[in-house]
Amino acid sequence: MAKAAGFFNLSIKNILANGRSSLENARIRLLYYGLLLILGTVSVIFINQLVQNQAVMGYITGTLLICIIILFKYLTWKPDWRFVSHALLVTGTMINMVDAFLIFQQVDIISVQLVLLIVIFGFYMLGQKWGMLYSILNVVPIILFMIYSSNNLYIINFRPSHLDQATLILGVLTNFILLVFIHNHFYQAFQTNMRQLKKNSEEQGRLNSVLEAAIDKAEKSSLAKSEFLSTMSHEIRTPLNAVIGMSNLLMMSNPRPDQKENLEILKFSAGNLLAIVNDVLDFNKIESGKIVFENIRFNLAELMQNICGGQKPKAIEKGLNFVLDIDSRVKNKVVIGDPTRLTQVIFNLVSNAIKFTQQGEVHVLVELVEDRHDRVTIQFSVKDTGIGIEKENLNAIFEPFTQESVTTTRQYGGTGLGLAIVKRLLELSGVQMQVLSQPGRGSEFSFNIEFPVSTEPVVEKVIKPQEPVATEQDGESDMSHLNVLVAEDNMVNTMLMKKLFSKWKLKSSFAENGALAVEQVQYGNFDIILMDLQMPVMNGFDAATEIRKLKDPKKAVTPIIALTASALIDIREKVFDSGMNDYVSKPFKPNELREKIMKLTSGDALLNDNSQVAL
């Protein structure tokens, strides 16, 4: 930055700025030393004209001397080099015109030098546009004057003046010095700029190398983070699968009331741990920017009933009144959007409302705000009568791993990721969350989403009587005809699957790795395959690919369900790309696994698979 230059400053050091470019500082130096040179020359000429009693020339030179002094003082006070340059060029143009057309009425060497000075000075100081303008203003009139005066005619009836020899020599010398000084000064500035440019280029190259290394390091760090989370997810989910699975098996065995209570505590704690792991992984997916939103048809009212239906028992356990209020105009609407992400948002908001409410109610409202036939705007609102939030903490609750206070964290637990996930998902959808809250009286979270409305006619579902699904308690064996192959390398999970299948009366075989699984499919007959993805010798993806290549068409289309504890973002695509039919995340819910086995082994499913292979 430039130093503060006072009104009485005369030093050039105080008007040069570190923040300016070298070219701007060169222009200020040129003006400073050029004005000093002109000031000295004009002073000598003025004194000489006073001595020789040249009144007219004395007045003109004196006026010029005053102008130069004012411009020099202005430059040393406020280094506005553009204004000073324009002022000098205007002054030089006026002197040139007055000398040629009025005072001397001829074009002499000084006039030519002055024109050259103005042309060079205009381009160097103010650039092409102004340089061209001042050049035209000086060159054109001089050329026209030379043509007009070629017949020894005067422009006006006024006797021209003549310069004495000393003044002429001094003027010519000064002009030559100025011409040489301008060229030399800007050549040095040009050389300095070239050196600086080279230095900057080298520095830019070095910075680019550092930046590339930093980007490479960041990418490797991000990949390592993703792989670490995937590995940790697998390692945590694998024992959790056994804990939750064994808890489910023990609860299916009609335990005593005291045993059932202990098992429920065990299952509840394992579920909380799983929820924490899921929150961390979900947040990592969102922060990585690899979340892809689906656009599929779904019934909004049914989705909300399913979400809140799973949460309502938790509210009832706490003695809360749970209300789901769906606008009647929404109940028959089939919209297009991402039901999975909407479920995640509503689930987190409702779960938080129940968690932080000790008495009163939780009210979930779904209201139609605007209906434009092809698009609808829906307002979602989750209101509770819980502990509320202080106004100054409203922004903090949306930060990751943050809750309103340490006391809240200790009392209610949790990672503080729920609302962070909600906010990120809504922001990625272009939706803003509104929060109204009063400490001790409750909170209300609301947001509006615009959905395209499906133009396809709504097909009313006809509920047909179904045979009751066999449960572990009723002893039915409707799955006893199925022969299942399980590819699993973890002994605890193998033991769990054996016990679970014995409850379902399923015939099962086990392979310790993918290669053995492919071999058993070649020589055996299986109705369905459960394939772990991370196994020694051959992983689940490769094993599924090899099975799909089998020559026996019946074995090649055997349904395969992936069993994965991985947290990779693109796991779903990899599963389907390898030829598998579906996947279940560990720890899996027995009913979910059972439903998928039943679905894939039904006659219609097998027929569809066979037809696809034939195509």
Side-chain angles (χ1 to χ4, degrees):
M1 297 296 292
K3 297 178 181 179
F7 179 76
F8 297 101
N9 171 63
L10 296 175
S11 173
I12 190 173
K13 294 180 180 179
N14 294 333
I15 59 176
L16 295 178
N18 294 328
R20 291 196 186 98
S21 67
S22 57
L23 183 59
E24 286 185 328
N25 283 330
R27 284 166 170 161
I28 293 174
R29 289 192 188 93
L30 174 64
L31 287 173
Y32 183 85
Y33 293 114
L35 285 171
L36 282 178
L37 177 62
I38 295 172
L39 184 62
T41 302
V42 173
S43 297
V44 172
I45 293 175
F46 178 67
I47 293 171
N48 180 60
Q49 290 171 346
L50 289 179
V51 171
Q52 296 184 13
N53 293 320
Q54 296 181 357
V56 175
M57 294 299 299
Y59 287 129
I60 295 174
T61 307
T63 303
L64 178 61
L65 181 63
I66 294 172
C67 291
I68 297 301
I69 293 173
I70 292 173
L71 288 176
F72 181 78
K73 188 74 223 60
Y74 182 81
L75 179 70
T76 55
W77 178 37
K78 294 181 179 180
D80 186 353
W81 56 268
R82 287 188 178 84
F83 173 78
V84 175
S85 298
H86 279 294
L88 281 173
L89 287 167
V90 169
T91 303
T93 301
M94 292 177 63
I95 291 173
N96 198 23
M97 296 300 103
V98 170
D99 284 352
F101 287 88
L102 182 64
I103 304 299
F104 303 113
Q105 299 188 27
Q106 66 177 358
V107 177
D108 54 17
I109 187 172
I110 293 182
S111 299
V112 173
Q113 284 182 322
L114 188 58
V115 170
L116 288 175
L117 273 173
I118 290 173
V119 170
I120 295 170
F121 187 80
F123 277 101
Y124 280 170
M125 293 299 294
L126 298 175
Q128 183 179 14
K129 182 180 70 173
W130 288 108
M132 185 64 69
L133 176 64
Y134 284 111
S135 298
I136 293 172
L137 289 177
N138 284 269
V139 173
V140 172
I142 292 299
I143 296 298
L144 292 177
F145 176 82
M146 292 176 67
I147 295 172
Y148 184 80
S149 62
S150 59
N151 295 323
N152 295 321
L153 296 174
Y154 291 129
I155 300 297
I156 59 173
N157 189 19
F158 180 80
R159 183 178 180 182
S161 299
H162 298 279
L163 287 176
D164 63 281
Q165 192 66 19
T167 302
L168 181 63
I169 294 173
L170 187 60
V172 170
L173 179 62
T174 302
N175 286 338
F176 273 128
I177 292 174
L178 283 173
L179 285 169
V180 173
F181 177 68
I182 290 174
H183 282 290
N184 177 69
H185 189 76
F186 276 101
Y187 180 78
Q188 289 181 348
F190 172 76
Q191 290 287 82
T192 302
N193 277 342
M194 291 300 295
R195 287 192 294 268
Q196 187 66 36
L197 183 61
K198 182 179 179 182
K199 182 179 178 181
N200 290 343
S201 178
E202 292 173 352
E203 181 66 15
Q204 186 67 37
R206 187 187 68 81
L207 290 176
N208 286 340
S209 299
V210 172
L211 180 60
E212 287 176 4
I215 291 174
D216 184 59
K217 184 178 179 180
E219 288 176 349
K220 289 180 178 178
S221 176
S222 177
L223 180 61
K225 174 186 173 183
S226 178
E227 290 177 350
F228 170 77
L229 286 172
S230 176
T231 302
M232 290 304 297
S233 168
H234 185 272
E235 295 304 315
I236 293 173
R237 286 170 181 264
T238 297
L240 268 179
N241 183 52
V243 172
I244 295 177
M246 287 298 181
S247 300
N248 286 326
L249 285 174
L250 290 172
M251 293 183 71
M252 293 175 187
S253 302
N254 296 319
R256 299 192 310 267
D258 59 325
Q259 293 175 329
K260 185 176 181 181
E261 182 180 356
N262 293 337
L263 288 172
E264 286 177 348
I265 293 173
L266 177 63
K267 185 178 178 181
F268 176 78
S269 299
N272 278 348
L273 178 57
L274 179 61
I276 292 172
V277 173
N278 288 338
D279 279 350
V280 173
L281 295 176
D282 284 340
F283 187 76
N284 177 62
K285 292 178 184 178
I286 295 170
E287 289 294 285
S288 68
K290 295 183 179 179
I291 288 289
V292 178
F293 290 89
E294 294 181 315
N295 282 304
I296 60 177
R297 300 171 69 248
F298 65 95
N299 187 297
L300 185 58
E302 286 184 4
L303 181 70
M304 291 300 300
Q305 287 168 354
N306 291 335
I307 298 170
C308 295
Q311 295 284 74
K312 189 172 183 178
K314 296 180 182 178
I316 294 174
E317 285 180 11
K318 294 185 68 172
L320 303 177
N321 182 31
F322 189 94
V323 178
L324 172 60
D325 187 1
I326 302 177
D327 193 327
S328 59
R329 296 171 294 174
V330 176
K331 291 184 178 179
N332 293 324
K333 293 287 184 184
V334 175
V335 298
I336 299 173
D338 192 332
T340 303
R341 301 304 170 194
L342 181 58
T343 298
Q344 204 168 3
V345 170
I346 300 297
F347 181 89
N348 273 300
L349 291 177
V350 175
S351 180
N352 264 13
I354 296 173
K355 180 179 180 180
F356 295 108
T357 304
Q358 298 302 322
Q359 59 183 1
E361 73 170 16
V362 173
H363 187 190
V364 181
L365 174 64
V366 181
E367 184 178 6
L368 179 64
V369 177
E370 185 178 5
D371 187 352
R372 298 198 299 273
H373 300 294
D374 61 332
R375 305 186 77 85
V376 293
T377 301
I378 306 294
Q379 183 182 59
F380 298 88
S381 173
V382 178
K383 188 175 182 180
D384 63 63
T385 56
I387 60 175
I389 307 163
E390 295 287 349
K391 185 176 181 180
E392 59 270 18
N393 295 329
L394 286 176
N395 291 328
I397 62 173
F398 291 103
E399 294 301 317
F401 305 104
T402 304
Q403 292 187 348
E404 185 187 7
S405 65
V406 176
T407 304
T408 303
T409 304
R410 289 177 179 174
Q411 184 176 355
Y412 295 96
T415 60
L417 281 174
L419 288 179
I421 291 172
V422 167
K423 182 183 179 184
R424 300 294 197 278
L425 286 175
L426 290 178
E427 286 178 346
L428 289 173
S429 303
V431 177
Q432 294 296 320
M433 169 84 73
Q434 287 83 40
V435 185
L436 298 174
S437 185
Q438 292 184 2
R441 301 188 64 178
S443 307
E444 181 179 3
F445 294 82
S446 61
F447 57 91
N448 292 358
I449 299 183
E450 185 180 87
F451 294 102
V453 178
S454 175
T455 56
E456 298 180 20
V458 180
V459 179
E460 295 292 337
K461 293 183 178 180
V462 179
I463 302 175
K464 299 180 180 179
Q466 296 181 352
E467 295 182 3
V469 178
T471 61
E472 292 72 16
Q473 287 80 5
D474 58 24
E476 293 184 18
S477 56
D478 61 338
M479 296 177 70
S480 61
H481 63 286
L482 297 179
N483 190 7
V484 181
L485 172 63
V486 181
E488 173 64 70
D489 65 315
N490 186 279
M491 296 303 296
V492 176
N493 286 338
T494 299
M495 185 186 305
L496 172 64
M497 300 296 281
K498 285 180 179 179
K499 290 180 177 293
L500 181 61
F501 290 160
S502 67
K503 293 282 186 183
W504 293 345
K505 295 186 171 49
L506 273 170
K507 289 176 287 187
S508 58
S509 301
F510 292 85
E512 296 177 0
N513 57 62
L516 291 176
V518 175
E519 184 179 343
Q520 289 196 41
V521 173
Q522 285 178 323
Y523 299 106
N525 293 306
F526 300 99
D527 299 294
I528 194 164
I529 302 168
L530 303 183
M531 185 75 72
D532 187 29
L533 298 183
Q534 297 185 17
M535 294 182 291
V537 183
M538 181 184 287
N539 62 43
F541 298 111
D542 295 337
T545 302
E546 292 300 318
I547 290 172
R548 294 298 180 230
K549 293 178 182 179
L550 293 177
K551 294 181 180 179
D552 187 336
K554 185 177 179 182
K555 293 180 179 181
V557 298
T558 304
I560 303 175
I561 298 178
L563 297 176
T564 175
S566 175
L568 290 176
I569 295 172
D570 56 351
I571 192 68
R572 179 174 178 175
E573 287 75 11
K574 287 185 176 181
V575 165
F576 291 119
D577 288 345
S578 63
M580 289 183 255
N581 303 81
D582 208 337
Y583 74 99
V584 175
S585 298
K586 297 177 183 176
F588 61 82
K589 298 176 182 178
N591 288 340
E592 179 186 5
L593 177 60
R594 182 188 181 91
E595 288 175 5
K596 292 194 175 185
I597 291 175
M598 297 274 295
K599 178 182 177 182
L600 290 174
T601 55
S602 66
D604 292 339
L606 292 174
L607 182 61
N608 290 336
D609 285 342
N610 288 327
S611 64
Q612 288 175 3
V613 172
L615 291 173

